Amino acid sequence: MGIFELQKKDRHTSARAGLLTTTHGQIETPVFMPVGTQATVKALSPEELKTAGAQIILSNTYHLYLRPGCEIISHFDGLHRFMHWDRPILTDSGGFQVFSLAKLRKLTEEGYAFQSHLDGSRHLLTPEKAMEVQICLDSDIIMCLDQCLEHPATHEQALAALELTTRWAQRCKTFWQEQTDCRNSLFGIIQGGMFAGLRTRSAEAIAAIGFPGYAIGGLSVGEPKALMMEMAAHTLPLLPSDRPRYIMGVGTPEDLVALVGMGADMFDCVMPTRNARNGQLFTERGTINICNARFRDDDGPVDPACGCYTCRHYSLAYLRHLYTAREILAYRLNTIHNVHYYLNLVSAMRNAILADQFDQFKKAFYSTRQ
Amino acid sequence: MGIFELQKKDRHTSARAGLLTTTHGQIETPVFMPVGTQATVKALSPEELKTAGAQIILSNTYHLYLRPGCEIISHFDGLHRFMHWDRPILTDSGGFQVFSLAKLRKLTEEGYAFQSHLDGSRHLLTPEKAMEVQICLDSDIIMCLDQCLEHPATHEQALAALELTTRWAQRCKTFWQEQTDCRNSLFGIIQGGMFAGLRTRSAEAIAAIGFPGYAIGGLSVGEPKALMMEMAAHTLPLLPSDRPRYIMGVGTPEDLVALVGMGADMFDCVMPTRNARNGQLFTERGTINICNARFRDDDGPVDPACGCYTCRHYSLAYLRHLYTAREILAYRLNTIHNVHYYLNLVSAMRNAILADQFDQFKKAFYSTRQ
């Protein structure tokens, strides 16, 4: 599984539209994956995700491995039935969360030794373990374990990290190939820090191992926006064009439009969901904060151009009231809107690409959002 | 509005089934009203309430008066459009929340002087003001301002409170009668503490003023369950039988079954919603706590006999995981189940009454719940 069909290449940019086939269904690309860290996209039901147009969600291996644990999820034959979601799921390897959340981690050739941020229990995350857990979760797309880097990192650190990432990628592939049923598609991850030469080296090494899809990791880790874009623009063309290209953990609506223009196919980011819970709502004409006093008695919707459940039934004044009162429904209604915004944006880009109008779309998008 | 049609009296008990007509629709009684304090039933959408069978909800005047305030809600011609709920709404008078939440309250013949629990601002809640605010909210059923009592209270305190409550009830009725359109139905409230003689006196005085419906207030305020039941059993038969009888702020499933048997028609209580948020779930066979370790890998539903969205799609193990992880979806799924349980219980009682089988229903209910 993980067969990618390139349906269309834009004439003027590197943007592309494709179709990715997974065990739980087909995904039209470009695609945005809402983040469901703990086997739930925060504040949403699976039905609300589908209504918003979600084709695939991302869940976090680190969190699920620690709680509720593989033993429990295997009672349900994986994550899909456990969380009542029958469309594709991508899981990360757990490496990034070990790096950002876990305590007392120790990195060796073998893997990450770490203590749980929940209860201090000790664990060892090896490339093989990352495969085993993700296969137990029965994710449609599983990710190689990679070594994440602080930003800024030296050339020496970035080189060491990419070389370890390459050796781990080979171990992941070896373990994965021993699985007979091929239900899970394995993606390789490109590292290399903010060094173009190292990104080239990583892309070549990972592509040489060979995977059904490729991700660019280690972006949006605190570097300036221009540097992130420079690294993406440098790396994307180095990835095999007949495989999906996934930019991990990115980004703003503006980022997505720019990166699709560079040939990226897949994205995940907590921004639509997390910002919703902080009262920030995305609209065609920019981002608003629902706390703003000017919405006190505004009976219009968040975005008149939006067709989501929230915009069809609720006013800015009511959303502001719910948010001010810290009502649970506030988080849901805000999240419904933001997820709909992101999914609609990516779907609109796909339509523009298929119609050979991505360039016009891009110009109109930037001028309206300002 | 507020026309009550008594459809059926049970042969063996005082239970009754009726039809209450309001501006926003008809209500079949007995009825349970989920509590939507701040213009939202915590964690639920209006559609979820309807799916669960909610015919009417209760909202709190004190909270809405303070935030967002009448001025804003009047922009929406009342609460219904503001909160996207087109079925009937009952609001309380605000008196109970002044009594339980507000700071520095001072009670005079005129009304309650109090400071907001939100920002310390000063307000005066008179019987006329309570009418004005509830009419501005455009509630289908509005409640007279009454004087609430601490428990225990002396006979003297309870007598003084019921007499003030009676004078305020007259002022409420006078103000209400000056409204021309009769969209809002006004209910009187019986007080009298835990003294049967005072309950009789209050019931006679309030009935003499004359209202479209009657409520029993001042129960479930910390007294023993047997005393609450004794007061309800004493007071219910004193209320006009051709008007709806509402027991305020009560209670457990067992309470509802007992009180319907005594002739009560309407209930509201935070128990299904609040307990859901605390992980307590009602089932036909008793109440469970979702945190319990025995649910760790239980792939069965909360209640196999339940047809709610939560029971149809989610396992005890998943609900336990969500609750342990403090995920927002946990509060919603738990609340959907509990509200469905309460509404289903009351609807089953109504069907039993209509079929002259309330006595059998009651026996089966108690024996299964134990």
Side-chain angles (χ1 to χ4, degrees):
Chain A
M1 280 297 164
I3 299 150
F4 185 64
E5 179 197 336
L6 195 55
Q7 296 176 298
K8 174 88 184 179
K9 275 207 58 169
D10 184 56
R11 278 191 220 163
H12 310 285
T13 69
S14 300
R16 38 199 247 154
L19 201 58
L20 179 60
T21 303
T22 76
T23 301
H24 288 87
Q26 287 193 320
I27 299 159
E28 295 180 336
T29 66
V31 67
F32 179 80
M33 304 181 277
V35 176
T37 295
Q38 305 192 100
T40 166
V41 173
K42 289 189 193 301
L44 298 189
S45 69
E47 287 79 6
E48 284 162 345
L49 282 165
K50 288 184 181 180
T51 301
Q55 305 183 71
I56 172 172
I57 59 170
L58 176 145
S59 202
N60 290 116
T61 294
Y62 171 84
H63 288 87
L64 296 175
Y65 164 72
L66 292 179
R67 184 175 62 194
C70 286
E71 198 199 333
I72 286 172
I73 295 179
S74 65
H75 274 276
F76 295 81
D77 306 316
L79 204 45
H80 290 85
R81 189 160 73 81
F82 182 62
M83 68 178 289
H84 175 49
W85 173 255
D86 57 10
R87 293 187 181 175
I89 297 175
L90 180 147
T91 44
D92 59 7
S93 67
F96 184 76
Q97 273 76 28
V98 167
F99 168 76
S100 58
L101 287 178
K103 292 181 286 190
L104 289 176
R105 57 184 191 277
K106 195 182 159 198
L107 176 67
T108 64
E109 184 69 29
E110 181 63 8
Y112 284 107
F114 68 96
Q115 282 189 268
S116 161
H117 73 295
L118 296 174
D119 63 4
S121 56
R122 290 172 188 278
H123 304 270
L124 179 66
L125 182 65
T126 63
E128 293 78 12
K129 183 78 182 177
M131 294 296 96
E132 188 188 321
V133 175
Q134 293 181 79
I135 289 168
C136 167
L137 296 175
D138 197 28
S139 310
D140 296 82
I141 300 173
I142 67 181
M143 301 299 299
C144 286
L145 187 67
D146 58 340
Q147 186 195 339
C148 304
L149 275 179
E150 308 267 354
H151 177 80
T154 64
H155 190 276
E156 191 186 351
Q157 289 169 326
L159 174 61
L162 93 79
E163 292 192 331
L164 183 61
T165 295
T166 304
R167 293 192 297 276
W168 282 1
Q170 182 59 63
R171 283 166 60 186
C172 286
K173 185 169 177 189
T174 303
F175 187 98
W176 171 69
Q177 280 182 317
E178 287 163 8
Q179 307 298 311
T180 48
D181 61 2
C182 288
R183 290 174 59 82
N184 323 100
S185 178
L186 176 62
F187 279 26
I189 303 178
I190 314 304
Q191 288 287 351
M194 300 302 155
F195 303 96
L198 296 186
R199 287 283 172 183
T200 304
R201 186 161 167 173
S202 181
E204 286 169 355
I206 299 295
I209 298 173
F211 292 97
Y214 296 90
I216 301 180
L219 294 185
S220 205
V221 291
E223 76 280 12
K225 180 66 56 97
L227 186 54
M228 190 260 270
M229 286 299 170
E230 189 188 317
M231 286 299 121
H234 173 82
T235 312
L236 279 164
L238 305 174
L239 302 179
S241 66
D242 59 348
R243 294 282 188 272
R245 301 159 170 172
Y246 163 28
I247 311 272
M248 301 183 82
V250 177
T252 65
E254 284 73 9
D255 292 343
L256 265 54
V257 174
L259 292 164
V260 164
M262 297 176 191
D265 306 304
M266 301 171 67
F267 304 91
D268 82 278
C269 191
V270 295
M271 193 167 268
T273 44
R274 180 177 293 166
N275 289 23
R277 299 195 307 282
N278 292 327
Q280 284 198 307
L281 300 171
F282 296 96
T283 83
E284 278 205 348
R285 300 188 171 274
T287 304
I288 63 169
N289 192 315
I290 197 64
C291 300
N292 197 305
R294 77 178 196 269
F295 302 134
R296 276 184 81 243
D297 55 5
D298 192 328
D299 68 357
V302 172
D303 189 342
C306 177
C308 82
Y309 170 76
T310 303
C311 287
R312 280 186 289 114
H313 297 300
Y314 301 92
S315 63
L316 286 157
Y318 183 67
L319 294 174
R320 180 177 188 274
H321 163 68
L322 286 184
Y323 192 78
T324 310
R326 296 285 180 270
E327 281 286 350
I328 294 174
L329 190 60
Y331 305 111
R332 183 190 339 178
L333 296 181
N334 290 354
T335 305
I336 286 174
H337 173 78
N338 276 359
V339 168
H340 184 276
Y341 176 87
Y342 263 69
L343 294 172
N344 190 55
L345 171 64
V346 174
S347 156
M349 285 198 276
R350 178 177 156 88
N351 292 337
I353 295 164
L354 291 173
D356 256 326
Q357 297 182 330
F358 183 73
D359 232 15
Q360 295 95 304
F361 173 89
K362 197 170 149 179
K363 283 186 193 111
F365 168 81
Y366 285 114
S367 87
T368 320
R369 275 276 294 178
Q370 263 166 3
Chain B
M1 279 297 166
I3 299 150
F4 185 64
E5 179 198 335
L6 195 56
Q7 296 175 296
K8 174 85 184 180
K9 275 206 58 166
D10 183 55
R11 278 191 218 163
H12 309 286
T13 68
S14 299
R16 37 199 247 154
L19 203 58
L20 179 61
T21 303
T22 77
T23 300
H24 288 87
Q26 289 193 318
I27 298 159
E28 295 180 335
T29 66
V31 67
F32 179 81
M33 303 180 280
V35 176
T37 295
Q38 304 192 101
T40 166
V41 173
K42 288 188 193 304
L44 298 190
S45 69
E47 288 78 8
E48 284 162 345
L49 283 166
K50 288 183 181 180
T51 301
Q55 305 182 69
I56 172 171
I57 59 169
L58 177 145
S59 202
N60 290 116
T61 294
Y62 170 85
H63 289 87
L64 297 175
Y65 164 72
L66 292 179
R67 184 174 62 194
C70 287
E71 198 198 333
I72 286 171
I73 294 180
S74 64
H75 274 276
F76 295 82
D77 306 316
L79 204 45
H80 290 86
R81 190 160 72 81
F82 182 63
M83 68 178 288
H84 176 48
W85 173 255
D86 57 10
R87 294 187 181 175
I89 297 175
L90 180 148
T91 44
D92 61 7
S93 67
F96 184 77
Q97 273 76 28
V98 167
F99 167 78
S100 59
L101 287 179
K103 291 181 287 189
L104 289 177
R105 58 183 191 278
K106 194 181 158 199
L107 176 66
T108 63
E109 185 68 29
E110 182 61 8
Y112 285 106
F114 69 94
Q115 283 189 270
S116 160
H117 74 294
L118 296 173
D119 63 5
S121 56
R122 290 171 188 278
H123 304 271
L124 178 66
L125 181 65
T126 63
E128 293 77 14
K129 184 78 182 177
M131 295 296 96
E132 190 189 320
V133 175
Q134 292 181 80
I135 289 166
C136 167
L137 297 174
D138 197 29
S139 311
D140 297 83
I141 300 173
I142 67 179
M143 301 299 298
C144 286
L145 187 67
D146 58 339
Q147 187 195 337
C148 304
L149 274 179
E150 309 266 355
H151 178 80
T154 64
H155 189 275
E156 191 185 350
Q157 289 169 325
L159 174 62
L162 93 79
E163 292 192 330
L164 183 62
T165 294
T166 304
R167 292 191 298 274
W168 282 1
Q170 182 59 62
R171 282 168 59 186
C172 286
K173 185 170 176 186
T174 302
F175 187 98
W176 171 69
Q177 281 182 316
E178 286 162 9
Q179 307 299 311
T180 48
D181 61 3
C182 289
R183 290 173 59 81
N184 323 100
S185 178
L186 176 62
F187 279 26
I189 303 179
I190 314 303
Q191 288 288 351
M194 300 302 156
F195 303 97
L198 296 186
R199 287 283 171 182
T200 304
R201 189 161 163 170
S202 182
E204 287 170 354
I206 298 295
I209 297 172
F211 292 97
Y214 297 90
I216 301 180
L219 294 186
S220 206
V221 290
E223 76 280 13
K225 180 65 57 94
L227 186 55
M228 190 260 270
M229 286 299 171
E230 190 188 317
M231 286 299 121
H234 172 82
T235 313
L236 279 165
L238 305 175
L239 302 179
S241 66
D242 59 347
R243 294 282 186 273
R245 299 158 170 173
Y246 163 30
I247 311 273
M248 302 182 81
V250 177
T252 65
E254 284 74 8
D255 293 342
L256 265 55
V257 173
L259 291 164
V260 163
M262 296 176 191
D265 306 304
M266 301 171 68
F267 304 92
D268 82 278
C269 191
V270 295
M271 193 167 268
T273 44
R274 180 177 295 165
N275 288 24
R277 298 195 308 281
N278 292 326
Q280 285 198 306
L281 300 172
F282 296 96
T283 84
E284 280 206 346
R285 300 188 171 273
T287 305
I288 63 170
N289 192 314
I290 198 64
C291 300
N292 197 305
R294 76 175 197 270
F295 302 133
R296 274 183 85 242
D297 56 5
D298 192 330
D299 68 357
V302 172
D303 188 343
C306 178
C308 82
Y309 169 76
T310 304
C311 287
R312 278 185 291 116
H313 297 300
Y314 301 93
S315 63
L316 285 157
Y318 183 67
L319 294 174
R320 181 177 186 274
H321 164 69
L322 287 184
Y323 192 77
T324 310
R326 295 288 181 268
E327 281 287 350
I328 294 175
L329 189 60
Y331 305 111
R332 185 195 332 183
L333 295 180
N334 290 355
T335 304
I336 286 174
H337 173 77
N338 276 359
V339 167
H340 184 276
Y341 176 86
Y342 263 70
L343 294 171
N344 190 56
L345 171 63
V346 174
S347 155
M349 285 198 275
R350 179 179 156 88
N351 291 337
I353 295 164
L354 292 172
D356 256 328
Q357 296 182 329
F358 183 73
D359 232 16
Q360 295 96 303
F361 173 88
K362 197 170 150 179
K363 282 186 194 111
F365 168 80
Y366 284 113
S367 87
T368 319
R369 275 277 293 179
Q370 264 168 1

